[in-house]
Amino acid sequence: IRDIVSGAPEPEPIEEVEEEYVDDDDDELADDEEWEYYDVDEDGNEIISSNDDKTSDRTGDDSLEQLLADARSMRASSTESDGLSAEEETPIKDKIFDVISTIVTVDFFLVLGLLAWFLLGIFCSYVLKDDTVQIAFNMNFEKLTQPALGVLMIGSIAGSLGNKDEEEDSYL
């Protein structure tokens, strides 16, 4: 504005040379770019499909069907390349240790509940001067608490044996 008011001659505009834009980032598109969608036919050839006419009238059912078709094709391609399913790859030993791990986890929380029952019994005995909770715990100690602690100890030992095999394999 100062140059115009002072009467100084205007500099000549520099002609902008348009450079071809190369998109190195596949995740973000510029304002003038669009995603290019393509399908692969049975021979492996790519067929470009334009979405110019489909964007406004596409329904939820159509997109769901397309999503399901994509999932089926991905599942089929992954099973062809792998050759074996995930269940066949897992040895029986790993399945056994997974079951033991689940049992130990559930039993651990059972033992925590029994501990809370025991502590509640102690609290009631000393603070409330009522031994009912403590007597109920003591009556069920041999039936509930000892087996739960035994399962927890045996499961922990069995789980540690499974981990030793994995550690030895990792050192080889």
Side-chain angles (χ1 to χ4, degrees):
I1 295 178
R2 273 186 297 171
D3 293 337
I4 294 174
V5 173
S6 66
E10 293 183 19
E12 294 183 25
I14 301 173
E15 293 182 22
E16 295 182 15
V17 177
E18 291 187 27
E19 296 180 15
E20 187 175 320
Y21 176 72
V22 177
D23 187 13
D24 292 333
D25 187 12
D26 292 336
D27 293 337
E28 296 181 20
L29 297 176
D31 292 337
D32 60 342
E33 291 182 317
E34 292 182 7
W35 286 105
E36 184 173 305
Y37 296 96
Y38 65 93
D39 295 324
V40 179
D41 65 1
E42 295 170 357
D43 299 328
N45 300 327
E46 295 180 357
I47 302 170
I48 297 175
S49 61
S50 173
N51 285 340
D52 293 340
D53 56 346
K54 296 181 184 177
T55 55
S56 61
D57 64 343
R58 188 170 192 144
T59 63
D61 294 334
D62 186 32
S63 62
L64 180 62
E65 289 176 16
Q66 181 65 31
L67 181 64
L68 291 173
D70 291 343
R72 284 187 206 108
S73 66
M74 288 178 63
R75 185 175 297 146
S77 67
S78 68
T79 56
E80 290 173 0
S81 64
D82 293 345
L84 297 174
S85 66
E87 293 177 3
E88 294 174 356
E89 292 176 1
T90 307
I92 190 75
K93 183 179 176 183
D94 289 343
K95 289 181 182 180
I96 291 171
F97 283 113
D98 286 344
V99 168
I100 290 173
S101 174
T102 304
I103 291 171
V104 169
T105 303
V106 169
D107 190 51
F108 173 75
F109 287 107
L110 176 66
V111 168
L112 285 180
L114 291 170
L115 176 65
W117 185 13
F118 175 72
L119 293 175
L120 181 68
I122 292 174
F123 175 79
C124 288
S125 292
Y126 287 108
V127 175
L128 302 176
K129 304 295 184 201
D130 183 18
D131 292 337
T132 309
V133 178
Q134 185 67 36
I135 291 171
F137 178 80
N138 290 343
M139 296 281 287
N140 293 313
F141 183 79
E142 288 183 24
K143 297 176 195 171
L144 294 174
T145 308
Q146 283 182 342
L149 290 171
V151 168
L152 186 63
M153 287 188 279
I154 291 170
S156 298
I157 292 169
S160 69
L161 293 177
N163 288 338
K164 284 184 181 178
D165 292 340
E166 292 174 5
E167 291 173 5
E168 288 174 3
D169 291 343
S170 65
Y171 291 129
L172 296 177

